């Protein structure tokens, strides 16, 4: 008699989306990117298709929400979600202050006179433009996907838990995404604060800011006198103390910001730019020094990692190709040096791997049941040996309870929570699109 073929344990098999509802998420994601790219091909059709697609996605989510079976899990994940959002906003505030500082501390003269760093990645793409067919060059130059696309792709992934495309709770993966983003932004801030690098676009500061021509008093004392003279650099290294006389520069403009006065020395405001500290932070935008590593690429990589772990399939492969396309565009258009994009890719991957404790695509209920079963194994063997059916049933019930989620929220609470979260998330989507409309 033929021996039956051994099957792999269910826990070790990869759970890919089914061809039904699961396939629809990939199609919706591709449709969103494709319809948005239509703005470059036919603005008239784009104006008709984009509102229709957005309305269809919103109506589908609203219609599915009453039938979602995991609102209890979403409610339990809400505190982590809100904490992660607060942490992320705090990280963005810290980053905005730091971006403004490194962009303005050396003054416009430094931005005008300092040449960009040599970047072999940029050389490579210029060489490829001469060798590749024009259609390939046009494809590499095309603005297929941008920052707000990656944000929307992740939002679609989170909402897909309503349709059981990914393992819920959706707020769990959103909390992990925002927490990882916040950690990545803080690491990035420390990195570009440590060493100020010249921008790959030397005209940026003059076009974006109205800065003093001279450096900040800190730079006047610790950098400017030793910036270009080799003998001066050698002497400051030997003495390990500043020794040069500070040149005479105009005084710094000091607006009255009340409790925020400590930001005056950091943001270096000018009278021409206004008097609101919030205005200065908002205008910091992407900065005008090279910021190691690329924030745009960090968002792209985290989105790709989330799709790969939670959903998989062909669309995740496509998203990774779009990440690579975005990276070469960042380098080609000189928004970043090649090293910024390379570092952002592996930092994003490593950070996502490190934050699996917040949310995981693994079946935690199955893991808890197996762990409980291991603990009760000897007692089960003993009960089976004694033919104690009552004891066996009690032990198996303990195993089942170990994998079940706690319940206890009323239908009214769940309905109020679900309605609030859907409205709140849609408002966050509109806010994200407004703040990232300039890329």
């Amino acid at each position: 008699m033929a021996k039956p073929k051994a099957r792999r344990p269910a826990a070790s098999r990869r759970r890919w989306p089914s061809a039904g509802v699961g396939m629809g998420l990939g199609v919706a994601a591709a449709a969103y990117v494709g319809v948005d790219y239509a703005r470059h091909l036919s603005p008239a059709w784009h104006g008709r298709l984009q509102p229709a697609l957005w309305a269809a996605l919103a109506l589908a989510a609203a219609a599915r929400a009453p039938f979602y079976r995991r609102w209890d899990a979403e409610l339990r994940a809400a505190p982590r979600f809100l904490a992660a959002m607060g942490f992320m906003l705090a990280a963005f505030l810290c980053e905005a202050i730091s971006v403004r500082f490194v962009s303005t501390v050396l003054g416009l003269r430094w931005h005008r006179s300092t040449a960009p760093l040599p970047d072999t990645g940029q050389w490579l793409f210029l060489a490829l433009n001469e060798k590749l067919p024009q259609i390939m060059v046009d494809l590499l130059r095309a603005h297929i996907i941008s920052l707000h696309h990656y944000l929307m792709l992740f939002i679609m992934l989170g909402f897909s838990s309503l349709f059981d495309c990914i393992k819920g709770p959706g707020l769990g993966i959103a909390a992990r995404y925002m927490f990882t983003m916040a950690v990545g932004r803080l690491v990035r801030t420390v990195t570009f604060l440590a060493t100020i690098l010249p921008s790959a676009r030397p005209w940026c500061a003059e076009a974006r800011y109205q800065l003093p021509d001279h450096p900040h008093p800190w730079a006047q004392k610790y950098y400017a006198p030793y910036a270009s003279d080799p003998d001066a650099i050698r002497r400051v290294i030997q003495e390990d103390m500043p020794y040069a006389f500070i040149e005479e520069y105009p005084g710094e403009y000091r607006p009255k910001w009340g409790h925020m006065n400590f930001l005056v020395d950091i943001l270096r405001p000018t009278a021409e730019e206004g008097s609101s500290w919030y205005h200065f932070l908002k205008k910091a935008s992407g900065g005008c020094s090279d910021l190691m590593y690329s924030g745009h690429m960090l968002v792209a990589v985290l989105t790709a990692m989330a799709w790969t772990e939670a959903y998989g399939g062909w669309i995740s492969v496509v998203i990774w190709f779009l990440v690579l396309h975005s990276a070469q565009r960042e380098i080609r258009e000189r928004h970043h040096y090649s090293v910024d994009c390379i570092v952002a890719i592996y930092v994003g991957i490593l950070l996502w791997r490190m934050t699996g404790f917040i949310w995981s695509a693994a079946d935690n209920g199955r893991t808890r049941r197996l762990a409980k079963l291991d603990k009760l194994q000897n007692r089960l063997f003993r009960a089976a040996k004694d033919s104690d059916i009552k004891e066996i049933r009690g032990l198996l019930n303990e195993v089942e309870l170990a994998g079940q989620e706690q319940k206890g929220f009323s239908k009214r609470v769940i309905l109020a929570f679900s309605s609030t979260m859907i409205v709140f998330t849609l408002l966050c989507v509109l806010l994200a699109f407004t703040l990232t409309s300039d890329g």
Side-chain angles (χ1 to χ4, degrees):
M1 186 174 179
K3 205 171 184 179
K5 187 176 181 180
R7 296 178 62 188
R8 288 188 298 168
S12 66
R13 293 197 297 269
R14 172 70 169 160
R15 184 175 175 267
W16 296 103
S18 61
V21 177
M23 192 70 173
L25 176 60
V27 173
Y32 167 72
V33 176
V35 166
D36 205 57
Y37 184 69
R39 73 177 66 217
H40 303 290
L41 305 177
S42 175
W45 274 104
H46 174 262
R48 298 188 189 99
L49 292 176
Q50 188 184 55
L53 178 62
W54 283 29
L57 293 175
L59 288 174
R64 177 66 179 176
F67 305 100
Y68 184 46
R69 297 172 296 177
R70 301 207 64 196
W71 282 118
D72 279 347
E74 300 288 349
L75 189 52
R76 277 188 291 275
R80 281 179 294 160
F81 172 80
L82 294 175
M85 176 175 286
F87 180 38
M88 183 182 69
L89 293 176
F92 278 132
L93 176 61
C94 179
E95 183 186 44
I97 294 172
S98 303
V99 166
R100 170 77 187 192
F101 171 75
V102 300
S103 299
T104 63
V105 67
L106 293 170
L108 280 178
R109 186 188 307 166
W110 181 83
H111 286 280
R112 293 194 201 102
S113 61
T114 306
L117 299 177
D119 188 345
T120 55
Q122 294 168 357
W123 306 348
L124 172 64
F125 289 121
L126 289 174
L128 289 176
N129 289 345
E130 298 177 321
K131 304 294 183 182
L132 293 176
Q134 188 60 41
I135 189 171
M136 287 291 295
V137 176
D138 292 340
L139 179 62
L140 292 173
R141 290 172 177 169
H143 289 232
I144 298 173
I145 192 167
S146 188
L147 177 61
H148 67 274
H149 294 103
Y150 289 112
L151 295 175
M152 186 60 181
L153 286 174
F154 176 77
I155 291 168
M156 293 173 67
L157 180 70
F159 267 99
S160 71
S161 63
L162 292 174
F163 303 90
D164 297 322
C165 295
I166 68 169
K167 186 183 79 68
L171 291 182
I173 189 172
R176 180 179 178 184
Y177 187 81
M178 290 189 294
F179 180 83
T180 311
M181 182 77 69
V183 173
R185 290 286 177 168
L186 290 177
V187 173
R188 176 180 187 247
T189 300
V190 172
T191 305
F192 68 69
L193 272 177
T195 303
I196 299 176
L197 302 176
S199 173
R201 293 183 164 201
W203 61 88
C204 172
E206 192 163 11
R208 179 174 295 174
Y209 302 124
Q210 294 175 328
L211 299 178
D213 199 56
H214 57 276
H216 188 282
W218 294 338
Q220 294 169 25
K221 181 176 181 180
Y222 299 114
Y223 171 73
Y226 324 103
S228 57
D229 184 354
D231 293 330
I233 297 172
R234 184 180 295 109
R235 180 177 170 185
V236 79
I237 291 173
Q238 292 171 347
E239 297 185 6
D240 198 26
M241 288 288 289
Y243 66 86
F245 292 103
I246 300 175
E247 296 183 34
E248 291 292 332
Y249 291 109
E252 297 288 302
Y253 172 66
R254 302 189 67 85
K256 294 181 180 179
W257 287 348
H259 294 299
M260 307 302 291
N261 261 354
F262 70 94
L263 289 177
V264 172
D265 280 332
I266 300 174
L267 301 183
R268 204 184 186 196
T270 57
E272 295 82 3
E273 288 185 293
S275 58
S276 168
W277 64 269
Y278 175 76
H279 168 78
F280 286 98
L281 293 183
K282 185 178 178 182
K283 198 174 180 180
S285 188
C288 279
S289 290
D290 182 65
L291 303 179
M292 165 80 77
Y293 40 85
S294 171
H296 287 60
M297 289 307 303
L298 178 66
V299 174
V301 171
L302 293 183
T303 300
M305 289 297 294
W307 272 81
T308 302
E309 181 173 333
Y311 188 73
W314 61 272
I315 190 65
S316 297
V317 177
V318 173
I319 291 174
W320 275 110
F321 274 110
L322 291 175
V323 169
L324 296 178
H325 187 275
S326 297
Q328 63 89 28
R329 264 189 49 227
E330 289 286 310
I331 300 167
R332 180 186 297 276
E333 297 172 6
R334 304 208 174 192
H335 296 295
H336 278 285
Y337 296 115
S338 303
V339 64
D340 301 327
C341 297
I342 294 170
V343 172
I345 290 173
Y346 66 69
V347 167
I349 293 172
L350 292 175
L351 288 178
W352 183 263
R353 293 295 186 190
M354 290 171 58
T355 55
F357 64 92
I358 299 177
W359 178 94
S360 174
D363 189 346
N364 294 325
R366 181 189 296 274
T367 303
R368 285 194 293 269
R369 286 193 295 272
L370 291 175
K372 187 70 174 179
L373 185 61
D374 286 340
K375 292 181 180 179
L376 299 178
Q377 188 175 24
N378 291 333
R379 292 171 61 189
L380 276 170
F381 285 153
R382 193 180 308 115
K385 186 176 181 180
D386 297 338
S387 301
D388 190 344
I389 301 300
K390 185 176 180 180
E391 177 71 10
I392 292 174
R393 287 176 178 172
L395 294 173
L396 291 177
N397 188 48
E398 287 185 40
V399 173
E400 186 64 26
L401 289 175
Q404 291 179 354
E405 295 176 342
Q406 297 177 353
K407 298 188 182 291
F409 300 110
S410 66
K411 290 185 178 179
R412 184 176 297 179
V413 171
I414 291 176
L415 178 61
F417 172 76
S418 61
S419 303
T420 302
M421 284 310 303
I422 289 176
V423 173
F424 175 74
T425 308
L426 291 176
L427 289 175
C428 287
V429 171
L430 294 175
L431 183 63
F433 272 68
T434 301
L435 296 178
T436 61
S437 59
D438 61 349

